[in-house]
Amino acid sequence: MTVLTESSETQFLDAVDVVLTGFFARGRAGTSGLPATVGQLWDALASSATGGKRIRPRLLLSVVDGYGGGPAGTSDGAGWSPEDPAVVTAAALELLHTALVTHDDVIDHDFVRRGKPNVAGIYRRRAAADGFDAAAANERGQAAAIIAGDVALAAAYRLVASTRARQLPVLLDLMDAAVHSAAAGELLDVEYSGHLRVPSAEVVLQTALLKTAIYSFDVPLQAGAVLAGAPAEERQLLCRVGQDIGTAYQLVDDLLGVFGHESATGKTTTGDLTAIKHTLLLSHAVRQPGWPSVAPLLTGAGSRTDVETLRDFLVASGARAYVQTMAREYAERARDAVAGSSLPVALRADLGVLIDAAVDRVR
């Protein structure tokens, strides 16, 4: 039996949504008297923040609840308030995520996320309607997305500061760790993509850790531990567990980016190959016999036939099976660390569910 009941999670996530809705409403209201496009940028940013899995709030809540630290100042199950430091911190982590994926879409030249136009896509469409050619419309859409991402990034820090929690300095340090690691991972992703000099598996895994695992899994778990007053050694354990879960999650993401169903993922299954993204799939494939015969397709993988041939090679060469195995190994390492720990029983159970959800998914 876990502490994290469905009703507690729903109340918490609803409170997080109240914080985010309030933030976007205040930002929108502040554009009164300005040209309409300024307010519409806030609308586009708000739209991009909806529809996600809310992974980061769920992780933070699992730790806070696991240590028995329900809503601040209550002991009667009165429910989560939008002013609760845990709720506000979780909302800040979601805003940080929104900022990072908004900028990531610019870097990747993506104009759709979760099956709908992202900020860049919305403003590209507006520019095209205003008569700009395709290249100019792309540039204008991406410029708007950079601005929107900057707004969300600054707001994430402001939200954490607004909690005035006694643990604020530590929470801000965690925000820094999230941003700095994600920036490093994003840079490595850019440096290693777009050409055939595919890095080693070790480098690819380091990139996944920096770009995704730390800010989306490690930091939310640590933030929950800080807010719950968990012992330092257990916070460090949650750090390591979060990094392993996050790496497994990213490996599954890479698999879905090539072999998933676009209707489920909301993303193209050709983009990683056409952009020559150096995932673990590719890192393994280039070192297998037969790669030289399909490598030329990668530099010109514009046709569906080329992509299908490359996809078939990833299966036949064992690359797909290899990445599936690696994802399971990272998940099992996290599961073993949790099972052999002194973490609260309820938290161990919740983390087991979260580990399963990270790897057994279609989106």
Side-chain angles (χ1 to χ4, degrees):
M1 186 64 158
T2 68
V3 172
L4 184 51
T5 63
E6 184 175 348
S7 61
S8 176
E9 182 179 271
T10 299
Q11 289 176 3
F12 187 83
L13 296 179
D14 285 348
V16 169
D17 285 341
V18 169
V19 174
L20 292 173
T21 300
F23 162 72
F24 289 119
R26 290 190 298 275
R28 186 65 164 89
T31 68
S32 177
L34 297 175
T37 187
V38 181
Q40 290 161 359
L41 183 72
W42 281 89
D43 295 339
L45 186 59
S47 174
S48 71
T50 62
K53 306 180 190 75
R54 295 291 191 255
I55 293 170
R56 286 145 292 275
R58 292 175 191 272
L59 289 168
L60 187 150
L61 173 62
S62 70
V63 179
V64 172
D65 247 7
Y67 281 98
T74 70
S75 58
D76 57 359
W80 292 96
S81 162
E83 288 78 38
D84 191 289
V87 171
V88 177
T89 302
L93 291 172
E94 279 301 285
L95 266 184
L96 175 60
H97 173 60
T98 298
L100 294 176
V101 297
T102 299
H103 286 161
D104 184 62
D105 285 347
V106 173
I107 293 168
D108 290 344
H109 306 289
D110 286 335
F111 295 90
V112 174
R113 181 168 285 272
R114 298 172 187 147
K116 63 183 180 181
N118 55 17
V119 176
I122 291 170
Y123 273 80
R124 178 179 70 167
R125 185 173 57 194
R126 288 166 51 89
D130 287 341
F132 289 91
D133 64 29
N138 285 350
E139 290 178 359
R140 293 173 77 87
Q142 290 171 332
I146 291 170
I147 296 166
D150 289 347
V151 168
L153 180 59
Y157 274 88
R158 178 66 181 268
L159 272 181
V160 172
S162 74
T163 65
R164 299 186 180 181
R166 59 181 177 81
Q167 309 96 330
L168 181 58
V170 182
L171 293 174
L172 290 174
D173 285 345
L174 287 173
M175 290 290 288
D176 283 345
V179 173
H180 297 169
S181 62
E186 192 72 72
L187 179 61
L188 291 177
D189 197 32
V190 171
E191 289 285 309
Y192 292 130
S193 295
H195 54 73
L196 294 179
R197 298 188 303 277
V198 182
S200 66
E202 290 75 18
V203 171
V204 174
L205 289 168
Q206 180 186 48
T207 302
L209 170 68
L210 291 168
K211 184 179 174 182
T212 301
I214 291 177
Y215 97 83
S216 282
F217 292 85
D218 165 7
V219 166
L221 288 173
Q222 284 205 67
V226 168
L227 289 165
E233 62 274 14
E234 293 184 4
R235 176 184 158 190
Q236 287 305 309
L237 172 67
L238 289 168
C239 167
R240 295 191 299 273
V241 167
Q243 292 182 6
D244 283 343
I245 300 173
T247 301
Y249 183 95
Q250 183 58 54
L251 293 178
V252 172
D253 226 41
D254 292 343
L255 287 165
L256 293 174
V258 176
F259 298 104
H261 297 285
E262 294 182 358
S263 59
T265 64
K267 297 183 289 186
T268 174
T269 55
T270 62
D272 282 359
L273 292 175
T274 56
I276 317 182
K277 283 285 185 180
H278 288 175
T279 63
L280 195 60
L281 279 167
L282 204 56
S283 179
H284 186 79
V286 301
R287 292 164 175 82
Q288 306 309 308
W291 172 252
S293 67
V294 297
L297 298 178
L298 197 62
T299 57
S303 73
R304 175 65 69 170
T305 301
D306 288 347
V307 170
E308 288 298 334
T309 301
L310 287 164
R311 192 178 281 131
D312 289 344
F313 182 82
L314 293 176
V315 175
S317 67
R320 182 183 189 180
Y322 170 71
V323 176
Q324 290 172 330
T325 298
M326 289 295 291
R328 286 195 296 270
E329 286 183 0
Y330 273 94
E332 283 305 313
R333 190 162 74 180
R335 192 175 282 110
D336 290 345
V338 170
S341 74
S342 58
L343 294 172
V345 173
L347 176 55
R348 278 183 271 160
D350 286 331
L351 287 173
V353 172
L354 291 166
I355 292 168
D356 290 341
V359 293
D360 299 330
R361 60 192 179 91
V362 296
R363 61 183 285 263

